[in-house]
């Protein structure tokens, strides 16, 4: 625990002990040592230092992202009344109410006081009362993580032997309720058997139907006692239930090739088509690592995926599986962290998690599996550090001397490029498991269908015919639209007015079920509109379509079928995603409408049809990766169809049926797509031939943001003449949360002096920010931004 400023206290981590006395500043004392044993390992510190240097972010930002909140203590301001204050007549009613609350409740934080007053912000109120001398602020440390305990009942020592219990009953001759309570304890604990059981306090009170006073009476007489025992918050996932499945001939060959490649290479890419059985290969690799007493990290791109994978892994490995993601409470994450610090004694030998799980305190790590390695959700965008979990996992494995397996049906251009340059090993599995046929793909031209008035809502006749046929075959359909909400914006038919966010330069998305308009950048919300705020007209129409609108339309067309939606809005609660996926697995849902969440490796037996409703909004996205990601997304979504029995069908609705990416998806030709993309990137200098750094200059005044970004570009061009610096350029959404943005793109050549170039960029940013007129600008640095 260290002190900053006058009173503020923070928890910190000692990363170095030395004898070099600082001369530029006064050394402050360490207030206290919080932990008997380190909660962060030396290998983690080295990993943090690499992340800080590579992603150009302070190591403090890495520390903040890495540790669960329960391990980071900070002091907070506590309000208390000044007993010497007497000028109550000068106070306003709301100020007097706050003083009154503080006199009733001790140690109120500012947030708690605001809640009691039913106000969002009371900082101005607190500052005025402090200036009047009515209240004082004190610093106190609050520990957010506490051990969870449960109260258990047991006999006190004089009566714990079976031969001594009669003496206890003699003490209770005139206390029938207490006698009944003791009898209930003896029954629940099976005291007179050879297998004594533990009895919790709640269990005993329920059984005896007695009051707490009866139990207290037994405690006062020294017959029973309460013992608090520490219990884990993380529920056991289940014991081993099934033997590990035997691999097919092709899977066995792929496993052997992976092990052979690992002899000479630290990283191997497993390129296996959808439903080729990659997960079973992962399970065999995990088994091999556990037999060698090594730990395993299994990375997934999406929380929604963990449900199915947990079931498959716990069926084989039981309670050796630990799960780590943001839907777990902070206390649960702290418990898993502390458990992993036990190393070989930890009950968790396999950790299944999303990108943040790379920060866990692994010991003796032997294998990292990055499933769906192409997914952009492995990239952290905000806040810093803006790391890519797949790339960081390679360094983590290197620090531990572990191997890394990247698995996917649609490899990223960079990963496949590394296999072609002999940096990674490559193993291919290009046939579906049990020789299940790849789905049949149909391309439908929505532009022609629309002109011929053959569309019904946002569905072509062929799409509706196939959905109807799939229902008749008692199979399920997935409808994919990569935009949530009901419609991207609403518009007045008369004057063309579109409601905008007050804090961002973007239109508000309409959500029908909440009946509101939301900004997906800052969270700003207004109620649904009935009249135009510009001209007063009631003719407000929705434009475009999202998952909510598709759900509504398909339910009207097929009223007897169960329709559900899988997107961010329907899966905010902790268990919402797994409950919805479970229902779909059980066949309780006939038609599932979803965003990209439905594309990420989910395995459903009865899906006969997948429909991609609008391929154009992916292909036409203004990004050099747009075509690569469109191919990946459409191929992955298509792969959900026909994974078991019967031929699956896929419909792609597009206005560009002849587009090369659509045609490559139709023929499942990854190599043609790769060759096209690699040729373009070589010609226009994009990854994997260069490295990119994107700088975003932000300020509340547009003029200041423009001026600072122009000066920064000039400075970088002077200092780094060998580097291409593009911009500044205002992005499509130029204002977010009341800050104007200017983008600068830097293309770094792949040279040995890369770290020196990065340090120069960091120094030039600091130099600009020290200028008086630019003290308040914010510069966000994003290495490998896309």
């Amino acid at each position: 625990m260290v002190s900053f400023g006058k009173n503020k206290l923070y928890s910190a981590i000692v990363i170095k002990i030395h004898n070099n006395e600082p001369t530029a500043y006064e050394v402050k004392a360490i207030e206290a040592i919080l932990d008997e044993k380190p909660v962060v390992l030396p290998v983690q510190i080295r990993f943090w230092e690499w992340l800080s240097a590579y992603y150009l972010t302070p190591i403090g930002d890495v520390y903040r992202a890495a540790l669960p909140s329960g391990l980071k203590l900070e002091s907070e301001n506590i309000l208390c009344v000044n007993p010497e204050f007497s000028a109550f007549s000068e106070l306003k009613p709301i100020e007097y109410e706050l003083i009154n609350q503080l006199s009733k409740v001790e140690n109120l934080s500012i947030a708690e006081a605001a809640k009691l007053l039913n106000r969002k912000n009371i900082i101005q109120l607190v500052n005025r009362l402090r200036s009047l001398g009515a209240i004082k602020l004190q610093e106190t440390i609050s520990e957010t993580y506490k051990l969870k305990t449960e109260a258990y009942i047991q006999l006190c020592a004089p009566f714990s032997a079976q031969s001594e219990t009669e003496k206890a009953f003699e003490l209770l001759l005139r206390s029938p309720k207490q006698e009944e309570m003791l009898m209930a304890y003896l029954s629940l604990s099976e005291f007179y058997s050879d297998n004594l059981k533990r009895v919790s306090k709640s269990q005993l009170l329920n059984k005896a139907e007695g009051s707490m006073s009866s139990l207290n009476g037994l405690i006062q007489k020294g017959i029973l006692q309460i013992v608090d025992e520490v219990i884990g918050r993380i529920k056991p996932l289940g014991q081993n239930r099934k033997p590990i499945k035997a691999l097919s001939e092709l899977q066995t060959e792929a496993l052997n090739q992976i092990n052979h490649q690992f002899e000479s290479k630290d990283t191997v890419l497993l390129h296996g088509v959808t439903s080729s059985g990659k997960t079973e290969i992962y399970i065999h690799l995990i088994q091999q690592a556990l037999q060698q007493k090594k730990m395993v990290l299994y990375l997934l791109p999406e929380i929604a995926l963990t449900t199915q994978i947990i079931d498959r892994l716990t069926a084989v490995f039981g309670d050796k599986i630990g799960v780590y993601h943001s839907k777990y409470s902070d206390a649960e994450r702290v418990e898993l962290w502390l458990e992993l610090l036990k190393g070989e004694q930890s009950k968790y030998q396999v950790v299944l998690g999303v990108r943040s799980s790379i920060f866990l305190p692994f010991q003796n790590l032997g294998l990292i599996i990055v499933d769906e390695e192409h997914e952009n959700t492995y990239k952290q965008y905000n806040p810093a550090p803006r790391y890519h979990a797949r790339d960081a996992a390679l360094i983590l494995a290197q620090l531990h001397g572990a191997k890394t397996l990247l698995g996917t049906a649609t490899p990223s251009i960079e990963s496949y490029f590394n296999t072609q340059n002999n940096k990674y090993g490559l193993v291919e599995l290009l046939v579906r498991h049990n020789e299940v046929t790849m789905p049949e793909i149909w391309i439908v031209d929505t532009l022609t269908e629309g002109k011929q008035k053959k569309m019904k809502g946002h569905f072509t006749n062929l799409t509706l015919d196939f959905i109807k046929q799939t229902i008749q075959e008692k199979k399920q359909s997935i409808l994919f639209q990569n935009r949530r909400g009901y419609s991207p914006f609403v518009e007045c038919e008369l004057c063309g007015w579109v409601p905008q966010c007050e804090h961002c330069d973007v239109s508000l998305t309409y959500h029908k079920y909440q009946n509101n308009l939301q900004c997906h950048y800052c969270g700003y919300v207004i109620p649904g509109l009935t009249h135009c705020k510009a001209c007063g007209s009631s003719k407000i129409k929705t434009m475009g379509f999202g998952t909510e609108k598709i759900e509504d339309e398909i339910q009207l067309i097929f009223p007897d079928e169960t329709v559900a939606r899988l997107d961010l809005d329907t899966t905010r609660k902790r268990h919402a995603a797994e409950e919805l996926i479970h229902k779909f697995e059980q066949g309780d849902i006939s038609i599932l409408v979803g965003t990209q969440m439905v594309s990420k490796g989910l395995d459903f037996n009865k899906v006969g049809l997948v429909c991609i409703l609008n391929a154009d909004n992916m292909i036409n996205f203004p990004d050099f990766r747009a075509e690569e990601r469109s191919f990946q997304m459409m191929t992955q979504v298509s792969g959900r169809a026909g994974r078991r029995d019967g031929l699956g069908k896929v419909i792609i609705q597009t206005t560009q049926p002849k587009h090369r990416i659509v045609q490559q998806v139709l023929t499942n030709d990854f190599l043609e797509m790769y060759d096209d993309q690699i040729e373009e990137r070589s010609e226009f200098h994009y990854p994997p031939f260069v490295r990119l750094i994107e700088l975003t200059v932000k300020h509340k005044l547009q003029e200041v943001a423009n001026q600072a970004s122009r000066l920064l570009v000039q400075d970088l061009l002077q200092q780094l003449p060998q580097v291409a610096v593009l911009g500044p350029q205002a992005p499509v959404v130029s204002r977010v949360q009341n800050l104007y943005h200017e983008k600068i793109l830097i293309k770094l050549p792949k040279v040995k002096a890369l770290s020196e170039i990065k340090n120069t960029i960091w120094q030039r940013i600091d130099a600009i920010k020290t200028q008086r007129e630019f003290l308040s600008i914010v510069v966000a640095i994003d290495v490998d931004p896309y």
Side-chain angles (χ1 to χ4, degrees):
M1 185 70 67
V2 294
S3 170
F4 278 78
K6 289 183 180 179
N7 303 309
K8 199 73 176 170
L9 295 170
Y10 295 91
S11 54
I13 291 170
V14 177
I15 65 168
K16 188 179 181 182
I17 298 174
H18 59 85
N19 297 313
N20 305 320
E21 185 177 349
T23 55
Y25 57 87
E26 182 184 347
V27 178
K28 300 190 79 173
I30 291 173
E31 303 287 334
I33 301 295
L34 299 175
D35 303 291
E36 292 180 11
K37 295 180 180 179
V39 294
V40 174
L41 304 172
V43 68
Q44 288 177 280
I45 300 294
R46 295 201 300 274
F47 184 48
W48 293 3
E49 288 170 342
W50 178 85
L51 286 164
S52 173
Y54 184 84
Y55 289 104
L56 295 175
T57 188
I59 198 166
D61 285 347
V62 182
Y63 158 83
R64 241 192 317 269
L67 256 69
S69 298
L71 293 177
K72 295 179 297 210
L73 304 186
E74 291 184 16
S75 59
E76 62 178 343
N77 291 316
I78 296 297
L79 304 174
C80 58
V81 178
N82 182 0
E84 298 175 4
F85 181 75
S86 58
F88 292 101
S89 59
E90 298 179 22
L91 300 180
K92 298 175 184 177
I94 187 68
E95 294 168 345
Y96 187 82
E97 187 182 347
L98 178 56
I99 296 287
N100 189 37
Q101 291 289 353
L102 292 176
S103 62
K104 291 178 185 175
V105 185
E106 292 184 3
N107 297 332
L108 265 184
S109 69
I110 292 176
E112 290 167 339
K115 198 172 181 181
L116 283 174
L117 296 177
N118 198 24
R119 296 181 67 157
K120 286 186 177 179
N121 193 337
I122 61 166
I123 297 297
Q124 288 183 338
L125 178 64
V126 168
N127 287 339
R128 176 174 148 76
L129 287 171
R130 287 182 69 198
S131 66
L132 292 171
I135 63 172
K136 294 179 179 179
L137 285 182
Q138 293 181 345
E139 291 290 320
T140 185
I141 296 294
S142 60
E143 191 166 353
T144 54
Y145 173 72
K146 293 185 174 75
L147 291 171
K148 186 177 181 182
T149 60
E150 187 165 351
Y152 285 92
I153 308 297
Q154 63 185 37
L155 283 165
C156 293
F159 307 102
S160 57
Q162 292 183 7
S163 58
E164 301 296 322
T165 51
E166 288 184 13
K167 295 178 183 178
F169 283 107
E170 288 173 7
L171 295 173
L172 303 175
L173 290 174
R174 296 183 180 180
S175 306
K177 290 287 185 184
Q178 292 178 18
E179 184 178 357
E180 187 182 331
M181 181 76 71
L182 180 58
M183 291 288 288
Y185 168 77
L186 295 174
S187 171
L188 285 169
S189 64
E190 298 182 11
F191 182 72
Y192 294 106
S193 71
D194 294 331
N195 186 24
L196 188 67
K197 293 183 178 178
R198 296 192 311 165
V199 178
S200 69
K201 177 180 164 183
S202 57
Q203 193 181 4
L204 178 58
L205 291 173
N206 287 338
K207 168 80 173 177
E209 297 181 356
S211 64
M212 190 63 205
S213 60
S214 301
L215 179 58
N216 286 336
L218 288 167
I219 293 167
Q220 288 166 8
K221 289 174 181 176
I223 297 171
L224 292 180
Q225 61 183 342
I226 296 178
V227 179
D228 287 328
E229 289 190 22
V230 176
I231 58 170
R233 289 178 172 86
I234 304 172
K235 294 179 181 178
L237 295 173
Q239 299 299 323
N240 293 18
R241 295 191 295 272
K242 297 177 184 175
I244 194 165
K245 286 183 182 177
L247 297 180
S248 69
E249 189 178 333
L250 287 172
Q251 288 173 319
T252 303
E253 186 182 339
L255 178 63
N256 292 336
Q257 285 182 33
I258 291 168
N259 285 322
H260 177 69
Q261 295 272 14
F262 275 151
E263 291 175 7
S264 57
K265 292 184 172 61
D266 291 330
T267 306
V268 173
L269 173 66
L270 174 60
H271 178 199
V273 297
T274 55
S275 194
S276 58
K278 294 186 292 295
T279 306
E280 289 303 324
I281 295 173
Y282 301 157
I283 289 171
H284 279 258
L285 286 165
I286 292 169
Q287 179 85 326
Q288 289 175 11
L290 295 183
Q291 287 170 351
Q292 296 167 11
K293 307 294 184 186
K294 300 281 188 179
M295 297 187 75
V296 179
L297 171 59
Y298 191 134
L299 282 173
L300 288 163
E302 194 81 48
I303 290 170
L305 265 182
T306 57
T307 306
Q308 285 195 331
I309 299 296
I310 287 170
D311 290 344
R312 294 180 71 174
L313 293 187
T314 51
V316 178
F317 302 110
D319 289 338
K320 291 179 182 177
I321 304 290
V323 181
Y324 194 82
H325 56 61
S326 60
K327 290 288 174 75
Y328 271 43
S329 70
D330 188 67
E332 287 171 322
R333 280 181 275 167
V334 170
E335 280 191 10
L336 191 135
W337 184 288
L338 296 177
E339 183 64 30
L340 288 177
L341 283 172
K342 297 176 184 177
E344 289 185 6
Q345 281 69 49
S346 170
K347 60 186 176 184
Y348 302 123
Q349 295 301 306
V350 182
V351 174
L352 185 67
V354 291
R355 61 176 180 250
S356 58
S357 55
I358 62 170
F359 294 116
L360 287 166
F362 293 104
Q363 300 182 63
N364 204 26
L365 187 64
L367 175 66
I368 299 178
I369 296 169
V370 185
D371 198 10
E372 310 294 347
E373 66 85 24
H374 66 279
E375 281 290 348
N376 65 333
T377 43
Y378 280 124
K379 171 71 177 175
Q380 163 75 11
Y381 289 102
N382 276 309
R386 296 173 178 86
Y387 64 96
H388 197 296
R390 177 199 62 207
D391 300 341
L394 300 178
I395 302 301
L396 180 66
Q398 185 181 316
L399 290 170
H400 283 272
K403 302 296 183 181
T404 307
L405 181 71
L406 309 177
T408 178
T410 52
S412 63
I413 297 295
E414 282 86 349
S415 293
Y416 201 80
F417 180 78
N418 284 332
T419 67
Q420 301 306 293
N421 289 322
N422 212 29
K423 187 177 179 182
Y424 298 170
L426 174 65
V427 176
E428 294 182 310
L429 191 59
L430 304 180
V431 178
R432 281 187 154 190
H433 186 54
N434 289 336
E435 297 183 354
V436 173
T437 310
M438 293 294 285
E440 190 177 10
I441 300 177
W442 300 68
I443 311 294
V444 186
D445 184 354
T446 51
L447 188 64
T448 304
E449 295 268 314
K451 287 178 180 177
Q452 296 174 359
K453 301 195 183 300
K454 291 182 179 179
M455 299 283 290
K456 188 171 183 179
H458 294 93
F459 304 98
T460 63
N461 285 333
L462 184 65
T463 302
L464 295 176
D465 288 344
F466 276 9
I467 294 173
K468 188 176 180 181
Q469 184 183 334
T470 305
I471 292 168
Q472 289 170 350
E473 292 172 354
K474 300 195 181 306
K475 291 187 178 180
Q476 296 166 299
S477 303
I478 292 177
L479 308 182
F480 172 76
Q481 167 60 6
N482 202 24
R483 187 187 290 274
R484 64 188 173 99
Y486 191 82
S487 63
F489 63 98
V490 297
E491 182 181 75
C492 173
E493 285 190 48
L494 290 186
C495 70
W497 175 77
V498 174
Q500 301 281 317
C501 175
E502 286 190 358
H503 314 294
C504 312
D505 286 339
V506 67
S507 57
L508 298 174
T509 300
Y510 177 52
H511 290 255
K512 183 178 179 182
Y513 288 95
Q514 288 113 334
N515 190 29
N516 62 27
L517 292 154
Q518 297 180 14
C519 174
H520 289 174
Y521 284 82
C522 71
Y524 173 73
V525 177
I526 62 171
L529 298 173
T530 55
H531 290 80
C532 173
K533 288 190 177 181
C535 69
S537 166
S538 60
K539 293 185 177 180
I540 302 288
K541 64 177 179 179
T542 59
M543 305 295 289
F545 64 101
T547 48
E548 275 189 33
K549 194 168 189 177
I550 295 302
E551 183 187 20
D552 256 16
E553 288 184 357
I554 204 69
Q555 189 70 78
L556 287 171
I557 297 168
F558 299 100
D560 297 330
E561 301 305 317
T562 308
V563 179
R565 177 164 46 95
L566 181 66
D567 59 21
L568 185 63
D569 296 322
T570 60
T571 57
R572 291 187 188 277
K573 292 182 181 177
R574 175 166 172 175
H575 297 294
E578 57 191 81
E579 287 170 5
L580 204 153
I581 289 168
H582 180 70
K583 283 182 180 178
F584 193 65
E585 279 181 314
Q586 297 301 311
D588 298 335
I589 296 166
S590 178
I591 302 169
L592 182 65
V593 180
T595 56
Q596 60 181 344
M597 291 174 78
V598 302
S599 72
K600 297 180 181 180
L602 294 169
D603 187 6
F604 301 117
N605 293 341
K606 299 177 182 177
V607 175
L609 174 68
V610 167
C611 180
I612 297 165
L613 295 171
N614 185 3
D616 303 318
N617 64 355
M618 294 183 283
I619 296 170
N620 298 330
F621 195 76
D623 179 356
F624 78 92
R625 291 194 192 276
E627 292 192 347
E628 175 194 359
R629 289 194 175 145
S630 298
F631 178 88
Q632 291 166 345
M633 190 77 72
M634 286 190 275
T635 302
Q636 290 285 345
V637 176
S638 301
R640 301 315 107 206
R643 294 174 73 90
R644 295 294 184 274
D645 303 320
L647 181 65
K649 292 187 179 70
V650 177
I651 294 179
I652 300 176
Q653 293 189 172
T654 175
T655 60
Q656 308 168 76
K658 299 297 183 185
H659 194 287
R660 63 178 180 178
I661 287 294
V662 175
Q663 292 299 313
Q664 286 159 0
V665 171
L666 179 64
T667 56
N668 195 30
D669 197 336
F670 170 80
L671 286 178
E672 185 183 313
M673 185 277 294
Y674 171 80
D675 289 340
D676 286 349
Q677 297 301 310
I678 212 75
E679 185 181 341
E680 283 187 2
R681 294 190 193 184
S682 174
E683 184 177 351
F684 294 106
H685 304 290
Y686 278 99
F689 300 100
V690 297
R691 291 205 180 278
L692 300 181
I693 297 179
E694 185 179 73
L695 308 180
T696 305
V697 180
K698 308 175 188 179
H699 196 271
K700 61 184 178 181
L701 299 176
Q702 190 171 16
E703 185 181 337
V704 175
N706 287 342
Q707 190 179 356
S709 57
R710 285 197 297 271
L711 280 173
L712 182 55
V713 168
Q714 290 171 14
D715 196 6
L716 289 170
L717 288 170
Q718 286 176 359
Q719 298 292 327
L720 299 168
Q722 77 276 32
V723 172
V725 182
L726 309 178
Q729 174 71 47
V732 176
V733 180
S734 59
R735 183 174 63 106
V736 176
Q737 295 181 339
N738 292 321
L739 293 176
Y740 288 93
H741 289 202
E742 289 287 334
K743 299 275 190 185
I744 300 166
L745 187 64
I746 304 170
K747 292 184 175 182
L748 302 180
K750 287 196 169 181
V751 293
K752 290 183 179 179
L754 199 59
S755 58
E756 294 175 18
I757 295 172
K758 285 184 174 181
N759 286 334
T760 302
I761 292 169
W762 208 343
Q763 289 165 10
R764 298 335 299 161
I765 291 169
D766 282 345
I768 289 287
K769 289 168 72 174
T770 55
Q771 294 184 30
R772 188 174 180 181
E773 62 270 38
F774 302 133
L775 289 175
S776 57
I777 68 164
V778 175
V779 181
I781 307 171
D782 195 354
V783 178
D784 303 335
Y786 301 108

